[in-house]
Amino acid sequence: MPNKQQDFIDQQLQDLNNDGVDRRGFLKCMAWAGTGLVWTMSGGIPVSRAFAKNTGREAGKGTDFTFVQISDSHIGFNKPANPDVTATLQTAINKINAMPHTPDFIIHTGDLSQLSKPSEFDTLDQVLKGAAAKQIYFVPGEHDMLSDNGDEYLQRYGKGTKGNGWYSFDHKGVHFVGLVNVTNLKAGGMGSLGHEQLEWFEDDLKGRSASTPIVLFAHIPLWTIYPDWGWGTDDSEQALSYVKRFGSVTVLNGHIHQIMQKVEGKVSFHTAMSTAFPQPAPGTAPSAGPMKVPADQLQRVLGITDVNYVVSGRSLAIVDSPLVDSGASASGNRGGLGVVDSSLG
């Protein structure tokens, strides 16, 4: 890892506890290596443990519901980093369908398409029809707004939403909020929520009990990861000020195509791997963008997120793992994904 990136991480990793996590700091970038941790929350203190090979098989036991996050499918992309993104998205859906418990729903955190073409959305819809979980929630990525300012996206996936596609819903005691931070990108590509959406968000949370678990999801991270590449949202601090009173807040994002985590107080941030292609770790390349990896490694650098919610108890566990064991080999253009398993409480 170049000195610049190591220095950046080391500045954030201070006062580490025995689990290697600073509760107000920055968890080391797991980049695209497919390594992972299980997160548990006890009295607001995050604790991590190593991923166990069979954890995924136990994911649904003792939980009240499960949902899955996928991100950055980039349907229409056909460069060397992944010449068949439809196939790797299909692999993700197959993996979801093979889960021991069918998830209640799927959340897609943006960049559904590469160029926001109707044909790309058609292909995406065709693949998603095969998902065992029939309820799918979306937020747009910047690639979904390229050709028509998001009109096609909103016509297909924005029914019943506010503004440029933001909305909220409740599911079994958990309040979910889908935010849009890609319609007014700032200099350098930083995301922005904007005044209208922030006012709506503040109002949406009013009157809700502080004990209500909150899950926020948006495309660009709602925490500043690497501003040189636009990996952050310029007004996220204001948005996050509205959730400070809640006892459990989880923030799910995509955009950077790799797993990074941050825990600050009672807020746990998590970015997901892409189902299309990886990107370099922040500061390790001249710029962000598709990163080509050897064919036999591609299946280890693409991902989904599997989240389990438990009403009783206070646990938040996130597990990241590759699709296959480290000794497995790829064949042909077979794609793959890493699995992330979480419990919210």
Side-chain angles (χ1 to χ4, degrees), residues 9 41 46 81 90-91 98 211 217 250 262 279 301-304:
I9 291 175
M41 291 288 284
Q90 183 63 61
T91 300
S211 63
F217 58 102
T250 303
K262 173 185 177 182
Q279 293 199 71
V301 300
L302 308 177
I304 63 174

Side-chain angles (χ1 to χ4, degrees), residues 34-344:
T35 58
L37 298 171
V38 179
W39 284 90
T40 59
M41 291 288 284
S42 178
I45 305 298
V47 179
S48 62
R49 62 182 173 84
F51 174 77
K53 182 182 298 184
N54 294 325
T55 301
R57 298 174 187 173
E58 305 297 320
K61 293 186 177 180
T63 64
D64 290 292
F65 75 89
T66 297
F67 70 90
V68 168
Q69 177 195 8
I70 59 175
S71 195
D72 296 270
S73 48
H74 285 274
I75 297 300
F77 179 88
N78 60 359
K79 299 296 189 293
N82 185 353
D84 194 349
V85 294
T86 302
T88 49
L89 175 61
Q90 183 63 61
T91 300
I93 297 303
N94 293 345
K95 181 67 175 178
I96 293 167
N97 291 345
M99 291 172 60
H101 303 272
T102 300
D104 285 29
F105 55 86
I106 296 171
I107 288 176
H108 194 307
T109 47
D111 278 355
L112 291 64
S113 65
Q114 178 66 11
L115 297 172
S116 64
K117 294 180 178 179
S119 60
E120 295 172 349
F121 291 126
D122 286 344
T123 299
L124 176 84
D125 291 344
Q126 190 62 39
V127 175
L128 294 182
K129 282 181 181 177
K134 297 306 179 185
Q135 179 64 61
I136 304 177
Y137 296 97
F138 301 90
V139 287
E142 74 278 7
H143 282 261
D144 302 317
M145 302 283 181
L146 287 180
S147 64
D148 58 1
N149 203 32
D151 288 346
E152 184 73 24
Y153 169 87
L154 288 172
Q155 288 177 18
R156 291 175 182 253
Y157 313 109
K159 292 180 175 63
T161 63
K162 308 293 184 181
N164 291 314
W166 56 82
Y167 60 100
S168 66
F169 64 93
D170 295 286
H171 188 78
K172 297 183 179 179
V174 180
H175 186 60
F176 291 81
V177 184
L179 297 172
V180 178
N181 54 2
V182 298
T183 57
N184 186 26
L185 297 182
K186 301 302 182 181
M190 289 284 283
S192 177
L193 295 164
H195 178 72
E196 181 184 0
Q197 184 173 196
L198 285 168
E199 282 198 331
W200 169 86
F201 181 42
E202 182 180 24
D203 186 65
D204 178 73
L205 296 176
K206 286 180 180 177
R208 299 189 184 278
S209 169
S211 63
T212 302
I214 304 293
V215 176
L216 310 180
F217 58 102
H219 181 62
I220 298 176
L222 291 174
W223 48 297
T224 301
I225 295 176
Y226 200 67
D228 289 356
W229 289 356
W231 286 3
T233 300
D234 71 337
D235 49 5
S236 60
E237 185 175 349
Q238 182 176 348
L240 293 172
S241 72
Y242 301 149
V243 299
K244 285 184 177 179
R245 68 183 179 89
F246 293 93
S248 173
V249 181
T250 303
V251 183
L252 303 179
N253 302 117
H255 188 58
I256 70 171
H257 296 216
Q258 59 198 278
I259 297 163
M260 297 188 76
Q261 295 176 359
K262 173 185 177 182
V263 177
E264 186 167 353
K266 298 174 182 178
V267 182
S268 176
F269 301 83
H270 184 84
T271 65
M273 290 184 284
S274 164
T275 66
F277 53 82
Q279 293 199 71
T284 62
S287 64
M291 184 174 67
K292 186 178 180 180
V293 298
D296 63 350
Q297 292 184 22
L298 184 60
Q299 60 184 321
R300 299 185 180 95
V301 300
L302 308 177
I304 63 174
T305 302
D306 169 24
V307 181
N308 299 298
Y309 170 64
V310 186
V311 172
S312 59
R314 292 182 175 177
S315 63
L316 171 60
I318 297 180
V319 182
D320 297 291
S321 72
L323 172 63
V324 295
D325 295 338
S326 58
S329 60
S331 61
N333 61 358
R334 180 182 170 200
L337 50 150
V339 177
V340 184
D341 172 20
S342 314
S343 295
L344 309 178

Side-chain angles (χ1 to χ4, degrees), residues 17-40:
N17 60 24
N18 292 332
D19 297 298
V21 177
D22 172 6
R23 67 180 298 217
R24 291 191 174 276
F26 189 95
L27 182 65
K28 276 190 177 179
C29 171
M30 289 182 282
W32 45 266
T35 58
L37 298 171
V38 179
W39 284 90
T40 59

